[in-house]
Amino acid sequence: QVQLVESGGGLVQAGGSLRLSCVSSGRIFSTYAWGWFRQAPGKERVFVAAVSWRGLTTYYADSVKGRFTISTDNAKNTVNLQMNNLKPEDTAVYYCALNYVNNPSRVADEYDYWGQGTQVTVSS
């Protein structure tokens, strides 16, 4: 099995920055892709960003493009999400996800493993 643990969430003022990290442990795959999703209260979980093995391919939701950066450190089994110029509408629980077919998908159902989530709150 694979365990994913997120960290780095918190409370920040609008315009501020946070860096989320997610580390995997357990079963090791030769290649895999990471995704970040978020879920605001009363809303569905939505795609934020995804990255392929070695970071060669990245995708972003339009709402975060230019503000968020996803990166991966395969040696450390870690994915990061640097979030700059945060807005109140970025407030949500952020989840990292992993799929072992190296498909940096925008679709939540295409991920095999999920973290427990970390809360990000942006005040106005």
Side-chain angles (χ1 to χ4, degrees):
Q1 287 297 324
V2 174
Q3 295 79 41
L4 304 182
V5 179
E6 301 102 335
S7 61
L11 173 64
V12 64
Q13 289 187 335
S17 299
L18 283 174
R19 183 178 177 86
L20 304 183
S21 294
C22 176
V23 60
S24 70
S25 61
R27 182 179 176 183
I28 302 299
F29 302 101
S30 57
T31 61
Y32 47 86
W34 293 98
W36 283 98
F37 292 75
R38 67 187 183 187
Q39 187 168 17
K43 296 187 177 181
E44 294 185 349
R45 190 172 300 188
V46 298
F47 170 76
V48 175
V51 61
S52 65
W53 179 250
R54 295 180 179 173
L56 296 179
T57 301
T58 57
Y59 298 112
Y60 295 94
D62 288 343
S63 60
V64 306
K65 200 172 295 183
R67 299 188 296 122
F68 290 12
T69 303
I70 188 170
S71 61
T72 182
D73 184 342
N74 294 326
K76 297 181 180 180
N77 298 322
T78 299
V79 64
N80 301 301
L81 185 69
Q82 179 66 42
M83 307 185 295
N84 298 329
N85 190 20
L86 283 161
K87 304 176 180 180
E89 51 263 43
D90 295 318
T91 295
V93 177
Y94 283 70
Y95 298 88
C96 68
L98 180 152
N99 74 51
Y100 52 79
V101 294
N102 194 24
N103 175 20
S105 173
R106 301 170 187 263
V107 179
D109 286 347
E110 296 185 356
Y111 288 85
D112 304 293
Y113 301 98
W114 290 83
Q116 82 288 350
T118 185
Q119 177 70 46
V120 171
T121 303
V122 184
S123 62
S124 57

